[in-house]
Amino acid sequence: MLDKVKELIGEVNDFKATTKEELEAFRIKYMGKKGILNDLFAEFKNVANDQKKEFGQALNTFKNAAEGKVNELRASLEEANLNTSSLNDLTRPAEPMSLGSRHPISIVKNQIIDVFSRIGFTVSEGPEIEDDWHNFTALNLPEYHPARDMQDTFFIEQNPDILLRTHTSSVQTRYMENNEPPIRTLSPGRVFRNEDISARAHCIFHQVEGLYIDTDVSFADLKQTLLYFTQEMFGKSKIRLRPSYFPFTEPSAEVDIYWGLETETDYKITKGTGWLEIMGCGMVDPNVLKNANIDPTKYSGYAFGMGIERIAMLLYQIPDIRMFYENDVRFLEQFKSIN
């Protein structure tokens, strides 16, 4: 009888179950009311007195082994079932994902578009790989014109000249060719110039250029539009226009806003004057209208353009333009709270 108990203990220790049904059958076989364990305890009274101590110890070992095996397998099966259920439960919470944010250039571009869309400007886009006519000649920059030197260009092909656009004015040229006045359009996009990369300059940057053409458009209309923009974008209501030169506008001007001299940073970025240049503008040159088959005796218009990076650097006090292109997550994460 003692040898039988030891054999049963070995069977219990070696038992393995892959389903709850197998485990329940094992429990009933060994620990049920009519199970082996109860039968052995019933036989205890028939054991010789000199063997009862050893037989009782073996029974207790058998009982503990059976109970331990049942508890062990039950916990193992429940854990496996939990993991399987979690994987198949499509309603359970997903693993936490790190949310990204818009790039600061995209944020500022959208803000500019939003400001001008309130006064009727629509968005127009064009190719980044452009031909000579739309990028230069149609904009009153004929071949060998010295003003072309103002924009050091990446040429892709020659004869005919194919290049990376140096400004989004080329989009305006295409828009004027395909649309009749009145025209009120905004042209945001990426442009390219062969410039040395530094904290203030880059060979790739972004522009937003605006164009308005209609009858009786005056310089006063242009100034009022720019004043509206600076108030909405910067909260600044004081601007000045300095005479300048652009081949496609006449007269032309640089637009400055009064930034103020309240902090050390204000002194630094305005060079102690309080004034800060933000864009260029002017009345559309009649030659540009002629090249787009628009009658300059009937229509007039104004144009303006600004660098998005420059506006972003002013708004967020970013000291180095190269930070926009380094894809440093530590820099980009600072804009998560901005729409």
Side-chain angles (χ1 to χ4, degrees):
M1 184 68 71
L2 189 60
D3 292 339
K4 181 180 178 181
V5 173
K6 292 180 178 179
E7 181 181 343
L8 290 171
I9 292 174
E11 290 179 4
V12 168
N13 289 333
D14 293 338
F15 178 74
K16 295 180 180 179
T18 57
T19 65
K20 289 184 177 180
E21 289 74 15
E22 292 177 353
L23 177 60
E24 182 63 13
F26 170 83
R27 188 192 67 79
I28 293 172
K29 176 181 177 181
Y30 288 95
M31 301 173 61
K33 288 184 178 181
K34 298 181 179 181
I36 294 174
L37 186 60
N38 280 345
D39 291 343
L40 290 173
F41 273 110
E43 288 291 330
F44 183 77
K45 61 184 178 182
N46 299 324
V47 176
N49 290 333
D50 59 338
Q51 295 181 357
K52 281 189 176 182
K53 180 179 179 180
E54 186 177 1
F55 186 74
Q57 290 175 344
L59 279 180
N60 285 330
T61 301
F62 175 48
K63 177 183 177 182
N64 292 335
E67 290 177 347
K69 178 61 70 171
V70 170
N71 293 333
E72 175 190 344
L73 292 176
R74 180 179 290 123
S76 177
L77 290 172
E78 287 178 354
E79 181 179 356
N81 185 60
L82 178 63
N83 292 337
T84 303
S85 299
S86 297
L87 291 174
N88 294 331
D89 183 6
L90 299 181
T91 64
R92 70 189 182 93
E95 290 294 324
M97 296 180 65
S98 177
L99 295 178
S101 64
R102 291 186 184 274
H103 194 279
I105 292 177
S106 297
I107 293 171
V108 174
K109 181 189 75 171
N110 292 339
Q111 289 174 344
I112 295 171
I113 292 173
D114 180 62
V115 170
F116 282 105
S117 66
R118 296 177 212 158
I119 55 174
F121 280 81
T122 59
V123 175
S124 56
E125 296 180 337
E128 293 181 351
I129 299 177
E130 193 55 273
D131 56 48
D132 180 276
W133 169 259
H134 291 99
N135 196 82
F136 289 125
T137 309
L139 292 166
N140 204 32
L141 279 161
E143 192 174 1
Y144 306 119
H145 193 291
R148 288 199 180 195
D149 294 337
M150 298 168 62
Q151 301 177 2
D152 202 356
T153 309
F154 289 108
F155 283 90
I156 299 174
E157 293 180 5
Q158 289 186 306
N159 298 320
D161 288 340
I162 304 296
L163 51 99
L164 297 179
R165 67 184 183 189
T166 59
H167 47 199
T168 57
S169 301
S170 58
V171 180
Q172 298 176 344
T173 306
R174 291 179 177 273
Y175 193 88
M176 286 188 290
E177 289 176 345
N178 296 294
N179 295 272
E180 295 182 356
I183 292 172
R184 188 186 278 112
T185 186
L186 207 62
S187 304
R190 183 169 52 179
V191 299
F192 311 85
R193 295 184 190 177
N194 186 17
E195 296 188 10
D196 294 332
I197 297 176
S198 66
R200 308 298 293 178
H202 208 286
C203 62
I204 302 172
F205 57 100
H206 297 75
Q207 284 186 335
V208 173
E209 299 197 17
L211 176 70
Y212 175 43
I213 297 175
D214 204 344
T215 56
D216 301 321
V217 178
S218 68
F219 203 92
D221 298 322
L222 169 60
K223 184 177 179 181
Q224 190 61 36
T225 299
L226 299 178
L227 182 61
Y228 159 77
F229 169 72
T230 56
Q231 290 172 335
E232 294 295 312
M233 195 71 185
F234 301 103
K236 310 289 184 179
S237 59
K238 190 175 181 181
I239 66 172
R240 70 180 183 186
L241 282 74
R242 292 179 289 107
S244 185
Y245 169 75
F246 301 107
F248 28 81
T249 54
E250 180 59 38
S252 303
E254 299 282 359
V255 182
D256 299 339
I257 61 172
Y258 187 72
W259 195 259
L261 293 171
E262 297 179 2
T263 67
E264 184 179 343
T265 302
D266 293 341
Y267 275 90
K268 183 178 179 180
I269 64 176
T270 65
K271 299 179 180 179
T273 66
W275 290 95
L276 200 60
E277 178 186 324
I278 58 168
M279 70 172 80
C281 66
M283 301 301 294
V284 178
D285 192 290
N287 290 331
V288 174
L289 297 177
K290 288 179 182 178
N291 291 334
N293 296 318
I294 296 175
D295 185 359
T297 62
K298 180 178 179 181
Y299 295 103
S300 58
Y302 61 72
F304 55 86
M306 69 194 84
I308 299 178
E309 283 84 348
R310 181 170 180 78
I311 303 298
M313 291 172 76
L314 293 175
L315 288 174
Y316 304 124
Q317 298 296 294
I318 298 170
D320 194 323
I321 194 174
R322 291 170 291 192
M323 298 177 73
F324 291 117
Y325 305 99
E326 291 174 345
N327 294 324
D328 190 329
V329 175
R330 295 170 299 177
F331 169 69
L332 298 175
E333 282 182 339
Q334 299 177 52
F335 300 91
K336 279 187 175 181
S337 61
I338 304 173
N339 292 328

